[in-house]
């Protein structure tokens, strides 16, 4: 029943940026591990907690991320082996939207999904905390790497693939996001040219 002010939005932007930064730190930790410190589904849920799911209760989301970071730091330090994930699991990075491979079936088959471009693009985009919060939020949304021209999107995706130490890449699309099908081959060709994967 109250009007949202610019100050309210500015405070929310700072909270969400904190969540995005935590999610990026958790991802860097997760990717650095010799063995995946969690299964793929838990990894994705934790990453998305920071940039996508904070709109419900940002304070609770930040609390979960901080706790998760401590657990993942311990798992990486202790070289924790995650049940259900093979020791030499193929590390797969997923591109595309509206559909996602089943993490558990992937792990049963000897792989693990270690990243995806769609929501990760939003999570890694911080909003400038100075200036008009509406303008800065709009500018951030328009700068999502996933939404950029093909070459810029490919370059960002290649950077994420290298950071995550992926062994392979899948491009998946379905339903209303059929615009993805038009660029799938172009993107994977660019990724292959730059990474050899």
């Amino acid at each position: 029943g109250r009007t949202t002010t610019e100050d309210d939005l500015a405070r929310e932007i700072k909270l969400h940026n904190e969540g995005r930064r935590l999610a990026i730190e958790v991802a860097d930790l997760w990717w650095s591990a010799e063995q995946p410190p969690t299964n793929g589904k838990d990894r994705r849920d934790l990453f998305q907690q920071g940039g996508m799911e904070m709109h419900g209760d940002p304070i609770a989301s930040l609390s979960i991320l901080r706790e998760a970071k401590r657990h993942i730091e311990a798992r990486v330090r202790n070289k924790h082996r995650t049940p259900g994930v093979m020791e030499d699991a193929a590390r797969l990075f997923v591109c595309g939207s509206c559909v996602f491979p089943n993490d558990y079936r992937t792990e049963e088959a000897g792989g693990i999904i270690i990243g995806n471009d769609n929501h990760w693009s939003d999570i890694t985009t911080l909003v400038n905390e100075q200036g008009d919060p509406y303008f800065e939020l709009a500018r951030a949304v328009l700068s999502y790497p996933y939404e950029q021209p093909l070459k810029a999107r490919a370059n960002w995706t290649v950077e994420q693939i290298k950071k995550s130490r992926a062994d392979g890449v899948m491009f998946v699309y379905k339903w209303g996001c059929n615009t993805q099908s038009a660029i799938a081959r172009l993107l994977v060709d660019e990724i292959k040219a730059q990474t050899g994967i």
Side-chain angles (χ1 to χ4, degrees), residues 61-189:
S61 294
L62 288 171
S63 178
I64 290 167
L65 277 169
R66 288 186 196 107
E67 186 70 19
K69 184 180 175 190
R70 285 193 292 274
H71 281 285
I72 290 180
E73 282 172 334
R75 287 171 176 244
V76 171
R77 184 175 53 253
N78 298 325
K79 300 182 179 177
H80 173 84
R81 184 144 181 271
T82 303
V85 177
M86 292 187 183
E87 192 169 338
D88 58 350
R91 298 166 65 95
L92 304 172
F93 194 92
V94 178
C95 298
S97 56
C98 293
V99 63
F100 201 80
N102 183 299
D103 289 283
Y104 305 117
R105 296 287 298 196
T106 302
E107 288 158 20
E108 287 172 7
I112 185 166
I113 298 169
I114 49 85
N116 63 298
D117 63 351
N118 184 5
H119 298 306
W120 188 236
S121 167
D122 309 359
I123 294 165
T124 59
T125 303
L126 299 177
V127 180
N128 182 4
E129 296 175 11
Q130 307 303 317
D132 178 345
Y134 292 98
F135 179 81
E136 297 304 336
L137 184 58
R139 184 189 345 227
V141 170
L142 291 171
S143 73
Y144 289 161
Y146 186 82
E147 307 294 347
Q148 298 309 302
L150 181 70
K151 187 71 172 176
R153 176 179 172 179
N155 289 341
W156 176 84
T157 305
V158 163
E159 182 183 314
Q160 303 312 302
I161 288 166
K162 288 178 178 178
K163 276 184 177 178
S164 67
R165 299 182 296 124
D167 299 311
V169 176
M170 293 186 288
F171 197 117
V172 187
Y173 50 84
K174 192 173 170 133
W175 303 312
C177 295
N178 56 8
T179 54
Q180 295 296 312
S181 65
I183 59 108
R185 174 52 47 197
L186 296 168
L187 187 71
V188 295
D189 284 351

